[in-house]
Amino acid sequence: MATADVTVQRVLHFCMVPTLLICLMFIFIKKFGSSIKDRLISAFWNHAMVKYHTAMRDIKKIHFNPMNYHKSADLYLRNKGLLRILEIGAGSGANFEFFPPNSKLTVVEPNAFFEPLFYKRQQKSDIKMEKFLLSHAEDMKEVADNSMDVVVSTLVLCSVKNVKQTLKEVQRVLAPGGKFYYWEHVHDVPGTWLHFLQNLLTYTIWDLCFGCHLNRNIDHVVEENKTLFSHIDQERFDIPLMNGSFAWKLVRVHVMGVATK
Ligand SMILES: C[S@@+](CC[C@H](N)C(=O)[O-])C[C@H]1O[C@@H](n2cnc3c(N)ncnc32)[C@H](O)[C@@H]1O
């Protein structure tokens, strides 16, 4: 074989084949990447949430308890002692036990793989499903203005694309006097190792793998947008750490709050 032919063959072998493989991989990831990621996140979170939410149960119970005394802005429902609740980013359904019995629940959740997991848990509860909407909390056009008595978010504002826009949407759908209950992990104060690590991981792998920001000051964003609400009650706290797990340490600092429209 001529030297030129051998060179062409080598170029084909060492350049074209890897380039072709990379192109095919790129096309595959572009077409199926986000659905694979959504499937993995739903499976991971469905498993991980059990331990997390079991450990948080007692504190969450106290946080959500006032919901039991909330009166619906809708006269018919108020007379029946019922509430309209919207849960954003409900995942596989971690909060049924905190909602007053027979509440009418609407869910806004962008990840379709959570839906069957969510319904599996919902069927064991006494919560009545209104709608499960596959959409984002930043744009809840399927939910009417002033139509909800309560909006709930647990561990979601770390994942939304735009916290401010989400708060605006929450305010829009709440009826006057309606309450927004939130429970989120937040960025530790500057100067701590945790603050540094939360930045480092968020900007490298965390957002990419889990679609979550460890370094959001959600309580500060709520405070900056306080004009959306008539009253805000919020406090930072440290979650009880179980078995010294590294992931738990990363989300040690939380905020729980109730914002009233
Ligand atoms: C860490 S999981 C928390 C699930 C559940 N709230 C819980 O406490 O177990 C985050 C959830 O937020 C959802 N999410 C992500 N981006 C969202 C968005 N823009 N609007 C609404 N939900 C979103 C995810 O699909 C996922 O269900």
Side-chain angles (χ1 to χ4, degrees), residues 81-226:
L82 300 177
L83 287 184
R84 299 160 297 178
I85 301 178
L86 167 70
E87 181 164 6
I88 56 171
S92 45
N95 297 318
F96 296 118
E97 65 177 297
F98 307 114
F99 301 158
N102 300 315
S103 296
K104 295 154 100 45
L105 182 64
T106 299
V107 162
V108 166
E109 166 61 60
N111 183 343
F113 293 104
F114 274 122
E115 194 172 356
L117 303 170
F118 175 89
Y119 273 109
K120 209 167 155 188
R121 286 212 169 83
Q122 182 265 331
Q123 275 152 21
K124 291 185 198 143
S125 79
D126 53 10
I127 300 304
K128 307 278 175 277
M129 273 314 284
E130 289 285 295
K131 288 177 204 151
F132 190 105
L133 301 166
L134 283 174
S135 55
H136 295 82
E138 296 92 328
D139 181 14
M140 304 192 277
K141 49 182 166 307
E142 303 94 333
V143 186
D145 294 2
N146 306 313
S147 64
M148 294 291 155
D149 299 306
V150 167
V151 177
V152 170
S153 164
T154 60
L155 309 176
V156 178
L157 299 179
C158 55
S159 298
V160 299
K161 291 262 176 322
N162 187 329
V163 180
K164 184 176 175 180
Q165 182 54 29
T166 302
L167 293 176
K168 277 187 178 169
E169 277 291 87
V170 166
Q171 191 267 359
R172 178 184 68 75
V173 303
L174 275 175
K179 308 262 183 194
F180 175 41
Y181 286 78
Y182 51 99
W183 169 286
E184 307 285 342
H185 62 80
V186 289
H187 205 181
D188 200 358
V189 288
T192 59
W193 270 106
L194 187 55
H195 179 94
F196 171 76
L197 205 57
Q198 287 170 326
N199 269 340
L200 186 73
L201 287 171
T202 301
Y203 297 132
T204 50
I205 53 163
W206 206 263
D207 181 21
L208 204 69
C209 296
F210 302 106
C212 156
H213 300 78
L214 293 166
N215 60 351
R216 278 198 178 154
N217 282 311
I218 286 154
D219 45 347
H220 298 182
V221 184
V222 174
E223 187 59 32
E224 282 156 21
N225 291 282
K226 62 182 178 198

